[in-house]
Amino acid sequence: MPTSPSGCPARPPERVRIPPGAEVATSRSDGGDPIGFSVADELLIVPCEAEHLASSIVDGEIRDHDSTIATDSVFYPFDAEPKVDDTLYVGLSEAVPSCAVTLRFDCEIDGIGVDPNNPPLAWEAFTADGWKRCEVERDTTGGLNRAGDVVIHMPKRHEVSVLNTVRGAWVRARVIAAAADQPAYSSSPRIQSLRAFTIGGTTEVVNADAIEDEIVGVSEGVAAQRFRLQRAPLVAGAPMKVEVAAGDDGWQKWEQVSGFATSAATDRHFTVDTSSGEVVFGPAVTEPDGAIRQYGAVPHRAATIRVRRYLVGGGRHGNVSKGRISILRSSIPFVQRIENRSPAFGGVDAETLDNAKVRGPITLRTRDRAVTFEDYEQLAHDAAPEFARVRAAEADGTGVRVLVVPSVAAGDYGQIRFEQLVPDPEVLQRITEHLDARRTAGARVVVEPPRYQGITVVARVRARSRFVPEELHSECLTALYNYFHPVIGGPDGDGWPFGRAIHVGDVYSVLQRLAGVAVIDDARLFAADPVTGERGQAVQRLDIDPEALVFSYEHQVLVQEG
């Protein structure tokens, strides 16, 4: 949720705190009612400035350039002919985890040779886990070749450390190996001055409106009472706080449970139907011998029942596109504007009746126990419905591998970043604990992401006479990224099939479906490392492991006039 005032902002007198629960929303001008979101984790926007400057060349000592900050003296951060791992270091005054920082350079055009829109330069910050890559929002310096700003988003665990006996919150720009067809530096940039300042920060939000202190009704003192909330659906997995008036003793807190099977008659338990928004208290059940057994306590007659806080939202309508969240409903000093820097994802609608008909027999047959692979898949979905795909497979003959694929938000052309496919460790742990309590005796369960086979498509096509090559270029890339996609790709559009081989013929088939393509002059398929993009020789067919999926890495399409 970055603030982005123009120019160098006046430094706030202290840190700006974005509290959990702060409310933001889409604009009404987008059409329809605004969609509300709430801040999930606290964000501190910390002011900073550049205090130290240093550089190093490969296998060389770290050179101090602090005088540049004080006197604007000129220096070269890299070797005369820059090499991989030549590095510029910037020491900030404060650690700025999850903040957006502007580095304002005054540079001269000496670092010639590079593409100013794609320089072979990696911005990294030192964290509790070592050096981590920063996201670069924009770089108007053209790779440190002219005066301008580099705006970077810092990782969550950025911290103060010591570099060459100097204490600072360190950020660095490191020369990296140029990719294929990417120009490299032929000489070092020339830096004359540097200023740094914080302009905002980023935190997660969830599609939810917080409702507080809602009176839902008065107890009749009987079992199985139901109280409907004023709004629904509720955010799945969000804790709910229910309290029952207890006279002079104030309000009694009741605990939310998934079911009453293990609830004793004195346990203050309740369940909630997230789809309908019903709060349900424990039932009384007649046993085979005629005795009545109460599952969960019953609120006293005439006792007022209130819900202290619950979250309303969720569903696919909350998967809004980049930039749509722009309204700050909560008043927070020094925040000038907000936006979502990436599309929202993970929202799922309530279960359909047809799906319930399929799931019901599975649930009844296993009685919440994992026996078959289908059982493991269904139970994993129950534990984490936000995941897009789940697949269970045999592991080492005696165990079960549960492979999970997160829902992902696509960027330009439908492209996704590989780190989006890395599941949250906390969610993996939640699934593991859920399955561990339901597995058969002796079964070993491992929950992890599948292996991904990266691919790069390089194609050359000719456009039909009435089609604009630039627009067709976008259509070609979008078609390739959508087809070779782990979640929405494949022949059926429901995700690339596990283990399905990739053929160069698939590329021809995808491109030939586009109305603007007259001729496909050439199409090549390369295996690519999904992290580094390093690729091998062109192949006609690429076999992948039975439990692996495909990942698209920087497809390249040249469109020529027909």
Side-chain angles (χ1 to χ4, degrees), residues 413 468-478 556-559:
Y413 313 121
V468 179
E470 290 77 11
E471 294 179 357
L472 182 58
H473 175 263
S474 297
E475 292 180 13
C476 290
L477 287 178
T478 300
Q556 302 171 28
V557 178
L558 174 64
V559 179

Side-chain angles (χ1 to χ4, degrees), residues 15 47 92 103 105 143 255 264 304 345 463 501:
R15 301 181 179 192
L92 302 177
L103 302 175
F105 288 93
E255 178 185 358
T304 301
F345 64 94

Side-chain angles (χ1 to χ4, degrees), residues 258 262 366-371 375-376 379-380 383 428-447:
S258 59
T262 61
T366 63
R367 294 187 179 182
D368 204 31
R369 303 296 296 178
V371 180
D375 299 336
Y376 280 98
L379 290 169
L428 290 183
Q429 184 62 29
R430 186 208 311 165
I431 298 174
T432 300
E433 293 175 354
H434 188 76
L435 294 179
D436 191 58
R438 292 159 176 81
R439 61 179 174 82
T440 55
R444 183 175 58 87
V445 180
V446 177
V447 182

Side-chain angles (χ1 to χ4, degrees), residues 162-498:
V162 175
L163 176 69
N164 197 34
T165 72
V166 179
R167 185 177 183 274
W170 291 99
V171 181
R172 71 183 185 184
R174 181 172 58 87
V175 177
I176 59 176
D181 303 325
Q182 181 186 26
Y185 281 103
S186 58
S187 62
S188 174
R190 188 169 182 262
I191 298 176
Q192 181 172 341
S193 68
L194 168 66
R195 303 291 182 268
F197 48 88
T198 307
I199 63 170
T202 302
T203 186
E204 293 184 356
V205 297
V206 294
N207 174 208
D209 286 324
I211 311 299
E212 297 183 348
D213 295 331
E214 180 179 313
I215 303 297
V216 296
V218 177
S219 173
E220 297 180 354
V222 298
Q225 294 180 93
R226 293 175 174 267
F227 299 89
R228 188 177 295 274
L229 300 170
Q230 294 179 8
R231 297 181 59 184
L234 279 62
V235 175
M240 175 184 285
K241 299 178 180 179
V242 170
E243 296 179 339
V244 176
D248 295 338
D249 295 330
W251 293 90
Q252 293 177 340
K253 296 180 179 180
W254 288 54
E255 178 185 358
Q256 181 179 343
V257 294
S258 59
F260 296 108
T262 61
S263 299
T266 57
D267 291 333
R268 296 171 183 165
H269 290 172
F270 71 93
T271 64
V272 61
D273 185 326
T274 57
S275 297
S276 65
E278 275 194 327
V279 175
V280 183
F281 291 94
V285 178
T286 303
E287 300 289 333
D289 61 0
I292 303 296
R293 179 177 176 181
Q294 177 66 43
Y295 288 85
V298 176
H300 295 296
R301 180 178 176 81
T304 301
I305 298 171
R306 75 176 180 185
V307 179
R308 286 299 306 272
R309 189 172 189 269
Y310 66 96
L311 299 179
V312 179
R316 295 184 183 275
H317 78 289
N319 296 335
V320 299
S321 58
K322 176 181 177 180
R324 281 198 60 197
I325 303 174
S326 58
I327 303 300
L328 178 63
R329 289 176 170 173
S330 302
S331 178
I332 303 176
F334 297 104
V335 177
Q336 295 187 5
R337 74 179 182 90
I338 67 164
E339 67 177 4
N340 56 312
R341 294 172 37 238
S342 59
F345 64 94
V348 293
D349 292 332
E351 185 179 32
T352 64
L353 180 59
D354 288 340
N355 191 75
K357 290 178 180 178
V358 174
R359 183 175 61 85
I362 296 175
T363 302
L364 292 174
R365 184 183 73 244
T366 63
R367 294 187 179 182
D368 204 31
R369 303 296 296 178
V371 180
T372 67
F373 289 153
E374 291 81 3
D375 299 336
Y376 280 98
E377 291 171 357
Q378 183 60 56
L379 290 169
H381 265 305
D382 293 342
E386 64 269 30
F387 275 97
R389 302 180 68 183
V390 177
R391 180 179 176 87
E394 184 176 323
D396 302 327
T398 59
V400 177
R401 292 178 65 209
V402 178
L403 308 176
V404 293
V405 182
S407 297
V408 290
D412 296 338
Y413 313 121
Q415 188 176 8
I416 60 175
R417 304 185 311 276
F418 186 68
E419 55 265 29
Q420 291 178 264
L421 295 171
V422 179
D424 186 329
E426 294 182 1
V427 181
L428 290 183
Q429 184 62 29
R430 186 208 311 165
I431 298 174
T432 300
E433 293 175 354
H434 188 76
L435 294 179
D436 191 58
R438 292 159 176 81
R439 61 179 174 82
T440 55
R444 183 175 58 87
V445 180
V446 177
V447 182
E448 60 187 4
R451 180 179 176 272
Y452 290 93
Q453 174 61 62
I455 67 163
T456 298
V457 171
V458 178
R460 187 173 71 253
V461 305
R462 279 184 278 169
R464 297 185 186 274
S465 58
R466 67 180 186 277
F467 287 86
V468 179
E470 290 77 11
E471 294 179 357
L472 182 58
H473 175 263
S474 297
E475 292 180 13
C476 290
L477 287 178
T478 300
L480 291 172
Y481 279 113
N482 285 342
Y483 188 77
F484 298 108
H485 194 291
V487 176
I488 62 172
D492 299 324
D494 55 1
W496 190 263
F498 280 91

